[in-house]
Amino acid sequence: MNKFFALFFFPILLIGQNFERSLSAENWKFKQVDKTNWLTATVPGTVHTDLLANQLILDPFLETNEKEVQWIEKEDWEYKTSFFLSQSEFYFNNIDLQFDGLDTYASVFLNDQLILEANNMFRIWKIPVRKYLLKGENTLKVVFKSAVKEEQNLAKKQLVQLPTDERVYSRKAPYQYGWDWGPRLVTAGIWKDVKLHFWNQLTLVNSSYKQVQLDSQKADLEFSVAVFSEKEQVILVKVNDSIKKVELQKGLHTIPIKYRINNPKLWWCNGLGEPNLYAFKISLFADLEEIESQEMNIGLRTIELIQEQDAIGKSFYFKLNGKPVFMKGANYIPEDSFLPRAADSVSQKRIEDAVAANMNMLRVWGGGVYASDAFYNACDRNGILVWQDFMFACAMYPGGRDFLENVKQEVIDNVTRIQNHPSLAIWCGNNEIDEAWHNWGWQKQLNYSKADSTQIWKDYQKVFHELIPNTLDSLYPEKKVIYWTSSPSIGWGRKESLIQGDAHYWGVWWGKEPFEMYERKVGRFMSEYGFQGMPDTTTFNYFSNGNPLEFDSESIKSHQKHPTGYETIKEYMQHDYIIPKTFENYSYVSQLLQAKGMKTAIEAHRRAKPNCMGTLYWQLNDCWPVTSWSSVDYFGNWKALHYQVKQSFENLLLSVEETKEKYQVYLINDNWQDVSGNLIVKALDFKGNILFEKSLPTISNANASQVVYSFTKKDIPKKYQKKSVVLLQFVTNEDKISTIFYWVKPKDLQLQKPTIKITKTDALTYKITSDVVAKNVFLSSDENAHFSNNYFDVLPNEIYTITVSQPVETISVKSLFNTFN
């Protein structure tokens, strides 16, 4: 044996450590199957982004280019690379090839041998490939069939047409086919990492844990470590400082390891405590050498979904660590139409946006994808609970044996990946399918016979009432798992939706009902509702590619996916605002309108506590630059809505409810302690003159909503109603919270032209003042800096301090007065 071989080979022979090698960074090429020219590709990636990088298509996000790339979904595509296998790598007894994500119908060839036929975007595909590999050069090829054509072929084989379209036959992200906020970009590609896993006689398959007991003195955990052994052997399993000796036979073993934490710190959601995490390393040792390990962060907490009969109907709320928690948050959709280019930093930033807006829960919506590891890790670190849908939305699905088996493996892969995260609160079977089947008229539209309807509903039950919950139970042995079949449980058109389960309320927007209906239609847990707002003009300028911003522009139209979106915005706007004449002002006022509507909804939900115990608006984010329901646009710009949400989700909130005869001031407290302070009620004219002032000692009860003051509509003379404002403040020893209330709609206010002064106090801090009431002050800069507060009202004789995320040269300012014609 020569010297080089001894140095290179023997350390691995002696240590035998398992390891992984990514193949994503290899020299990948791609082409259309029926073409000959190979082009540079990126893995992870998609066909669309690779074509764009090779300048063969125009950016689908710009102008009307989405229409020009629809041909891509009808073609087959081929990817290939070669990689070198060293002698030391070839030494391993076992080598597995793992694709973390293939989108979607993919045939995989290794050294010209077909080794895999994949058909599910959401699964992890792992294939033993040692027998196919060569020492030295190896070739890997992946051929993607057109998902659209595959679905059409599958549809032809069905005896009964299912509602919606052929996409239901694919386990592929539904939103790729277009939604009322997203483009139709049905892509393909190796969308997650691809790697080789090298191991000899022993490998760590996965690990999970359960809380056996949790109290203030101790936390008793039991880890389940799944290990595969190729022979009889004695190994050590180590969980941090706990070691267990195990005698293995050949095959798969699940090894229990007990672990105790004394004086444990609990994991709490944002706003109610620290999201404490304990770091664990699970390791396998053979012959005193570490073979393989896995790391996980564990949060110690209990989570319960409480559904009990009460005077209204049936409760629906979460208890965290034994305490009822009002859930405040939003629905989360995929971060990009082309997922591989949504870096981990994007997920981290969206969670930071949620935390900054005082959220404690996000719902991963069922029409997108299971979120990235980076998303769940960020939720763990920041105390954001996750309502996790399975990826089924707004459609009926087949119930054949092959489809069900495919779904089962999808559930296993994703539950195994996600289940250890303390942020995970609930699994939900689907989005809006139960509601759609019973209330959307599908059965009548498609002229189903009674037998057809019975069979389709049976197939639904197979997936959501049997397969998914049974699989969950098998993956959570002796652990409580919260599973909710369909969100919502009852449709928004039925009165029962407001007395039990979770509710999606779309009477506002879809039903064209006024914002005031939000105050009447309050359910037990509001898991979806929303209103559109246009993005910042910088976003319009981006996708319009320098063309003038005009409503009749095809570019502007193509970035509004709701069929009557702009029409609906205008219809609501004229109820509350003077319609601006310029596009820029119109965009700004549309954001104010969106924020006003969502403030009405959110605060009505919070005032109804404890009858209502959750509010998750639609939607947090965008997958491309568009006019939509989001509060944060595709580029991360906060709309007026997100700034409003930050205030409306504060743990202490002052909120005014208008009834027929009076106004009631609520003080809502999400903290565990009573809070004492003074309630100050002050009416001012627009020049700052005090018309009325009162101060009352007030106690805000812990975890409660209460009326702390009321006044009749006669308390303010009519002549002041259009030119005065009410400032409400709750002042404690530690803090001061406030809200501003107007008697009339914004369009009826007799606003005066404000002189707004912006004074720089340091590189990142500014003071804002005005001589008269300046409503909805909007600050912007060419440097695209983020402002700590924006779209806020400035009262005379008050100083408002704001910070910017980076130094700026100049700050532009406007207020609602600037939009009056």
Side-chain angles (χ1 to χ4, degrees):
M1 184 179 291
N2 65 42
K3 190 174 181 180
F4 173 80
F5 183 83
L7 287 172
F8 193 61
F9 184 80
F10 260 53
I12 292 179
L13 179 64
L14 293 171
I15 297 172
Q17 289 181 326
N18 302 345
F19 74 98
E20 285 185 346
R21 172 186 164 187
S22 175
L23 297 181
S24 297
E26 299 292 340
N27 183 25
W28 285 89
K29 302 284 186 184
F30 86 112
K31 71 178 182 69
Q32 208 168 316
V33 164
D34 58 357
K35 300 289 177 65
T36 57
N37 54 320
W38 289 93
L39 305 162
T40 302
T42 299
V43 172
T46 71
V47 170
H48 286 76
T49 48
D50 285 333
L51 288 168
L52 181 61
N54 283 277
Q55 300 182 339
L56 293 176
I57 60 170
L58 297 172
D59 189 340
F61 283 10
L62 299 184
E63 301 184 63
T64 59
N65 295 341
E66 174 201 352
K67 298 176 184 175
E68 308 305 317
V69 298
Q70 293 306 306
W71 62 273
I72 297 170
E73 69 178 40
K74 301 178 182 71
E75 302 298 329
D76 298 338
W77 301 90
E78 185 174 342
Y79 281 73
K80 73 173 182 179
T81 192
S82 61
F83 60 93
F84 188 85
L85 204 65
S86 68
Q87 184 161 316
S88 60
E89 290 172 323
F90 196 71
Y91 152 78
F92 279 85
N93 294 340
N94 297 283
I95 306 173
D96 298 329
L97 176 63
Q98 180 168 318
F99 290 92
D100 289 339
L102 289 168
D103 184 8
T104 292
Y105 295 96
S107 302
V108 179
F109 299 84
L110 182 57
N111 294 325
D112 297 324
Q113 295 291 311
L114 177 64
I115 60 168
L116 172 67
E117 292 278 13
N119 62 349
N120 189 323
M121 176 181 179
F122 306 122
R123 283 177 58 181
I124 296 169
W125 303 94
K126 194 168 188 175
I127 319 105
V129 293
R130 176 68 179 77
K131 65 181 179 181
Y132 303 109
L133 287 166
L134 305 172
K135 196 184 303 180
E137 197 78 13
N138 292 265
T139 60
L140 181 60
K141 181 173 73 173
V142 185
V143 179
F144 292 96
K145 297 174 189 170
S146 162
V148 171
K149 289 183 178 178
E150 288 296 304
E151 290 149 9
Q152 290 168 349
N153 291 335
L154 288 167
K156 288 174 186 173
K157 298 175 184 177
Q158 307 302 311
L159 297 176
V160 179
Q161 178 192 351
L162 292 175
T164 65
D165 52 39
E166 289 88 358
R167 66 178 168 85
V168 299
Y169 299 104
S170 284
R171 295 309 300 140
K172 182 172 172 65
Y175 84 110
Q176 289 187 6
Y177 296 79
W179 224 265
D180 54 9
W181 39 258
R184 182 181 176 102
L185 294 167
V186 185
T187 194
I190 305 169
W191 74 284
K192 287 188 176 184
D193 195 23
V194 52
K195 54 200 171 190
L196 291 170
H197 179 224
F198 298 85
W199 58 285
N200 278 321
Q201 280 81 36
L202 185 68
T203 186
L204 175 57
V205 178
N206 63 63
S207 54
S208 62
Y209 76 98
K210 66 179 178 182
Q211 287 174 182
V212 178
Q213 184 174 349
L214 177 63
D215 56 41
S216 58
Q217 282 78 44
K218 63 182 182 299
D220 285 331
L221 308 178
E222 184 174 288
F223 289 80
S224 294
V225 184
V227 175
F228 189 87
S229 177
E230 280 214 319
K231 65 175 186 178
E232 291 184 19
Q233 57 181 316
V234 177
I235 67 165
L236 298 178
V237 182
K238 184 179 179 186
V239 177
N240 282 5
D241 54 358
S242 180
I243 301 175
K244 184 174 184 177
K245 186 177 181 181
V246 184
E247 294 182 6
L248 299 180
Q249 303 296 314
K250 183 177 180 180
L252 181 66
H253 303 263
T254 300
I255 301 164
I257 307 283
K258 296 185 185 302
Y259 196 95
R260 172 169 288 183
I261 298 172
N262 293 314
N263 304 312
K265 294 180 179 180
L266 297 181
W267 185 94
W268 287 99
C269 64
N270 183 40
L272 294 178
E274 293 299 315
N276 293 295
L277 294 172
Y278 289 88
F280 282 89
K281 182 180 179 182
I282 298 95
S283 306
L284 304 183
F285 287 80
D287 298 327
L288 302 181
E289 295 289 347
E290 184 178 86
I291 303 300
E292 196 169 347
S293 66
Q294 177 187 345
E295 294 180 355
M296 72 169 74
N297 291 315
I298 286 176
L300 302 174
R301 58 47 167 179
T302 60
I303 188 87
E304 304 166 81
L305 176 60
I306 307 300
Q307 296 186 82
E308 296 173 338
Q309 295 294 331
D310 57 23
I312 299 171
K314 195 175 186 181
S315 67
F316 190 103
Y317 68 92
F318 291 91
K319 272 188 178 180
L320 181 64
N321 299 323
K323 292 185 179 284
V325 176
F326 191 100
M327 295 301 167
K328 300 174 288 192
N331 285 259
Y332 167 89
I333 67 167
E335 294 156 356
D336 205 296
S337 290
F338 307 118
L339 288 162
R341 66 182 183 186
D344 289 353
S345 58
V346 177
S347 296
Q348 176 63 40
K349 187 63 177 70
R350 290 298 78 78
I351 301 306
E352 289 171 4
D353 291 334
V355 171
N358 298 304
M359 297 184 191
N360 58 19
M361 177 175 270
L362 291 174
R363 174 182 176 230
V364 179
W365 169 72
V369 294
Y370 304 93
S372 66
D373 292 340
F375 171 87
Y376 299 107
N377 289 334
C379 289
D380 292 345
R381 291 192 303 270
N382 290 279
I384 299 295
L385 287 160
V386 175
W387 173 307
Q388 177 67 57
D389 283 3
F390 287 97
M391 293 303 116
F392 300 87
C394 305
M396 301 305 286
Y397 290 84
R401 186 176 61 185
D402 290 347
F403 184 84
L404 293 177
E405 182 57 31
N406 199 0
V407 169
K408 181 177 180 179
Q409 292 304 316
E410 171 189 326
V411 172
I412 291 169
D413 286 354
N414 286 283
V415 173
T416 301
R417 178 172 69 92
I418 298 169
Q419 67 173 340
N420 293 325
H421 290 279
S423 55
L424 180 64
I426 181 173
W427 291 98
C428 179
N430 67 71
N431 174 76
E432 294 185 346
I433 302 181
D434 190 308
E435 137 83 341
W437 179 251
H438 291 103
N439 296 319
W440 289 7
W442 283 343
Q443 299 175 65
K444 187 175 181 180
Q445 291 164 16
L446 293 168
N447 198 28
Y448 287 149
S449 67
K450 186 176 180 180
D452 293 339
S453 291
T454 300
Q455 185 57 53
I456 292 169
W457 183 246
K458 265 189 187 175
D459 289 343
Y460 172 90
Q461 291 178 310
K462 282 181 194 173
V463 176
F464 301 108
H465 290 264
E466 298 170 21
L467 186 147
I468 291 178
N470 290 343
T471 307
L472 281 170
D473 287 342
S474 73
L475 295 169
Y476 283 87
E478 301 176 41
K479 283 170 69 175
K480 289 183 180 177
V481 56
I482 302 173
Y483 175 68
W484 189 240
T485 308
S486 184
S487 178
S489 52
I490 302 170
W492 63 265
R494 295 166 60 191
K495 62 182 181 180
E496 293 88 353
S497 68
L498 302 180
I499 62 174
Q500 65 187 61
D502 71 316
H504 294 191
Y505 176 64
W506 285 103
V508 173
W509 186 268
W510 282 101
K512 300 289 185 74
E513 295 174 354
F515 286 153
E516 289 76 14
M517 288 298 287
Y518 278 136
E519 299 180 306
R520 293 171 53 189
K521 302 285 188 175
V522 178
R524 310 310 299 267
F525 191 102
M526 304 301 293
S527 52
E528 200 181 296
Y529 58 92
F531 194 88
Q532 280 196 359
M534 295 161 69
D536 189 78
T537 49
T538 58
T539 299
F540 277 107
N541 286 328
Y542 168 81
F543 67 68
S544 294
N545 214 14
N547 293 316
L549 302 183
E550 299 170 348
F551 274 108
D552 58 1
S553 152
E554 289 303 313
S555 176
I556 302 297
K557 289 179 185 176
S558 71
H559 287 75
Q560 163 62 275
K561 293 302 182 182
H562 188 277
T564 62
Y566 285 131
E567 175 189 317
T568 303
I569 291 172
K570 187 173 183 179
E571 188 175 322
Y572 276 87
M573 190 183 290
Q574 63 192 10
H575 291 161
D576 285 353
Y577 291 88
I578 296 171
I579 304 288
K581 288 186 176 177
T582 70
F583 188 93
E584 186 174 335
N585 282 342
Y586 194 100
S587 173
Y588 157 75
V589 172
S590 85
Q591 290 199 28
L592 303 183
L593 177 71
Q594 181 189 30
K596 185 177 188 294
M598 292 299 92
K599 170 184 165 71
T600 303
I602 290 168
E603 296 191 7
H605 302 160
R606 293 195 65 191
R607 290 196 301 265
K609 178 179 181 174
N611 293 333
C612 176
M613 284 296 285
T615 180
L616 310 177
Y617 66 88
W618 185 269
Q619 66 205 62
L620 174 66
N621 59 314
D622 283 325
C623 68
W624 77 316
V626 67
T627 293
S628 81
W629 292 264
S630 70
S631 60
V632 179
D633 78 11
Y634 175 73
F635 295 107
N637 301 309
W638 284 23
K639 296 183 188 176
L641 170 57
H642 209 77
Y643 286 100
Q644 179 59 58
V645 165
K646 180 180 179 181
Q647 180 179 332
S648 293
F649 279 168
E650 288 276 8
N651 270 14
L652 276 175
L653 174 70
L654 281 165
S655 179
V656 180
E657 178 187 40
E658 179 180 357
T659 67
K660 196 171 183 180
E661 297 176 354
K662 61 184 176 179
Y663 299 94
Q664 298 193 118
V665 179
Y666 282 75
L667 189 50
I668 298 118
N669 182 1
D670 284 347
N671 297 301
W672 306 129
Q673 305 83 26
D674 293 349
V675 181
S676 299
N678 284 321
L679 177 70
I680 299 170
V681 184
K682 191 186 294 186
L684 311 163
D685 69 17
F686 286 168
K687 291 183 178 179
N689 299 309
I690 296 175
L691 307 176
F692 171 85
E693 186 171 13
K694 193 166 189 175
S695 179
L696 300 166
T698 303
I699 295 176
S700 177
N701 296 329
N703 206 17
S705 167
Q706 66 197 100
V707 177
V708 292
Y709 186 74
S710 65
F711 42 95
T712 69
K713 294 188 173 180
K714 298 175 184 175
D715 288 342
I716 187 80
K718 263 194 172 181
K719 66 177 182 177
Y720 287 116
Q721 287 184 6
K722 294 185 178 182
K723 49 187 178 182
S724 70
V725 60
V726 178
L727 172 64
L728 298 165
Q729 295 177 313
F730 182 60
V731 183
T732 70
N733 290 333
E734 293 82 26
D735 202 4
K736 176 172 72 175
I737 65 166
S738 62
T739 192
I740 292 171
F741 168 74
Y742 296 89
W743 308 97
V744 296
K745 294 179 182 296
K747 70 177 181 181
D748 297 321
L749 293 173
Q750 294 179 1
L751 296 173
Q752 302 169 47
K753 184 177 181 180
T755 300
I756 300 169
K757 291 185 178 178
I758 303 175
T759 307
K760 187 175 183 177
T761 58
D762 62 42
L764 300 177
T765 310
Y766 293 83
K767 305 287 187 186
I768 317 292
T769 60
S770 177
D771 59 335
V772 297
V773 169
K775 184 153 177 54
N776 302 123
V777 170
F778 172 53
L779 308 170
S780 59
S781 71
D782 291 338
E783 290 86 352
N784 198 29
H786 175 75
F787 293 85
S788 61
N789 196 9
N790 220 334
Y791 304 92
F792 56 96
D793 293 357
V794 176
L795 302 184
N797 308 317
E798 297 279 346
I799 299 173
Y800 297 79
T801 302
I802 61 104
T803 58
V804 291
S805 58
Q806 63 186 49
V808 297
E809 289 294 322
T810 58
I811 294 178
S812 299
V813 61
K814 76 161 67 170
S815 70
L816 186 63
F817 182 86
N818 298 110
T819 71
F820 289 178
N821 300 324

